[in-house]
Amino acid sequence: MQKLLSYPITIIYFICFGLTLVIFHPIQWVCLNIFGYKAHKGSVSILNWFLMRCTNLLGTRYHFENAHSIPTDKPLIIVTNHQSMYDIPPIIWYMRKHHPKFVSKIELGKGIPSVSFNLRHGGSALINRKDPKQSIEALQQLGQYIEKHNRSAVIFPEGTRSRTGVPKPFRTTGLKVLMKQAPSALVVPISINNSWKMLRFGQFPMGLGAFIKFKVHPPMAIQADAEAQIAQVEEQIKNDITEVKS
């Protein structure tokens, strides 16, 4: 019954979602090319607030738990599990004071209004999974960028999203590169629950009534033993992922 109901609601959602992306594309261009980085960053934050409001049409709710006073004058490496593309707008909005930049696959850097423009011009790293050399160089540049400007790098170490919420093993290479290039950064683990339910039926129709929860764990300084620290972060994130499809 829910799937049947979701068909017309999904169509309305896609119209609103698409219009939001199209409207904000020229807004981003004007902000960046006329007013500079700060205005562009602000437009991206507002864009993602509107994208979240679009998902409210599907009955989606958000809870973002962050009990920590995270400094804004230090770079961050935000490490989180990945369940769907709907992980991203809340991180951009709720962590906006920290200027989040994403590690993203290179294919997303073209063809998507607003999204591709921000990935290309907003400071994120576009990596080609078929080209390890290019990927490492892009990650190095991102690490150096956040170290210099006190920004945040957001990385999904699973590599690809979990379609059932069950976390996949972390790949450590990208994290190690960021940690090496941004030695003064704080590592901030975040656990995400339930965003996979947005795509429980696939790309169409959308899942209804998802309650997406984010939990920010205590930030930690980069340690000498990167392997051990990454294992600790992985365990911390996964221990709070509870609502999965069996």
Side-chain angles (χ1 to χ4, degrees):
M1 182 63 182
Q2 185 190 98
K3 186 175 182 179
L4 186 63
L5 179 63
S6 70
Y7 279 99
I9 298 175
T10 297
I11 293 171
I12 296 170
Y13 161 73
F14 279 150
I15 291 171
C16 294
F17 182 85
L19 282 173
T20 301
L21 294 182
V22 170
I23 290 168
F24 270 89
H25 191 91
I27 291 173
Q28 281 193 68
W29 189 95
V30 169
C31 287
L32 179 63
N33 290 284
I34 297 178
F35 300 106
Y37 171 82
K38 186 175 180 180
H40 177 235
K41 184 264 176 191
S43 72
V44 171
S45 297
I46 296 170
L47 161 66
N48 282 275
W49 184 87
F50 273 103
L51 293 179
M52 291 169 62
R53 301 292 73 81
C54 289
T55 66
N56 293 155
L57 295 169
L58 301 164
T60 305
R61 295 171 294 146
Y62 297 93
H63 176 72
F64 200 96
E65 179 184 342
N66 180 12
H68 314 288
S69 180
I70 303 174
T72 56
D73 60 349
K74 292 182 70 69
L76 305 181
I77 299 174
I78 298 172
V79 186
T80 180
N81 60 302
H82 193 24
Q83 295 187 350
S84 78
M85 61 176 279
Y86 300 98
D87 301 334
I88 295 171
I91 292 176
I92 293 176
W93 176 249
Y94 288 106
M95 301 296 287
R96 61 191 181 277
K97 292 182 180 179
H98 303 283
H99 302 249
K101 314 299 177 186
F102 286 79
V103 178
S104 177
K105 57 185 180 181
I106 200 167
E107 292 85 354
L108 297 179
K110 58 182 179 180
I112 309 172
S114 286
V115 173
S116 298
F117 185 89
N118 181 46
L119 287 174
R120 290 197 313 272
H121 302 287
S124 293
L126 291 168
I127 62 172
N128 184 348
R129 294 174 179 173
K130 299 177 182 179
D131 187 345
K133 183 175 182 294
Q134 183 275 340
S135 297
I136 295 296
E137 289 176 351
L139 287 164
Q140 288 174 335
Q141 290 172 8
L142 177 59
Q144 293 163 10
Y145 173 79
I146 66 168
E147 178 74 13
K148 179 179 179 181
H149 298 285
N150 291 329
R151 313 289 196 222
S152 301
V154 183
I155 185 168
F156 302 108
E158 291 164 289
T160 57
R161 66 180 177 88
S162 168
R163 288 173 168 80
T164 61
V166 178
K168 300 178 180 181
F170 278 14
R171 301 175 183 178
T172 63
T173 301
L175 259 175
K176 287 179 180 177
V177 172
L178 290 174
M179 291 163 72
K180 182 177 180 180
Q181 298 297 323
S184 69
L186 296 176
V187 178
V188 181
I190 298 180
S191 298
I192 302 175
N193 275 289
N194 285 336
S195 78
W196 66 271
K197 292 182 179 180
M198 296 282 288
L199 301 173
R200 70 183 75 185
F201 305 129
Q203 296 292 334
F204 186 85
M206 300 290 295
L208 301 181
F211 184 21
I212 306 178
K213 302 176 184 178
F214 296 75
K215 182 176 180 180
V216 180
H217 300 280
M220 60 183 78
I222 291 176
Q223 301 167 9
D225 189 340
E227 200 76 44
Q229 184 172 20
I230 293 171
Q232 177 189 355
V233 168
E234 181 175 7
E235 182 180 10
Q236 195 171 33
I237 291 171
K238 291 182 176 180
N239 282 345
D240 266 290
I241 301 172
T242 56
E243 300 174 63
V244 298
K245 183 178 180 181
S246 58

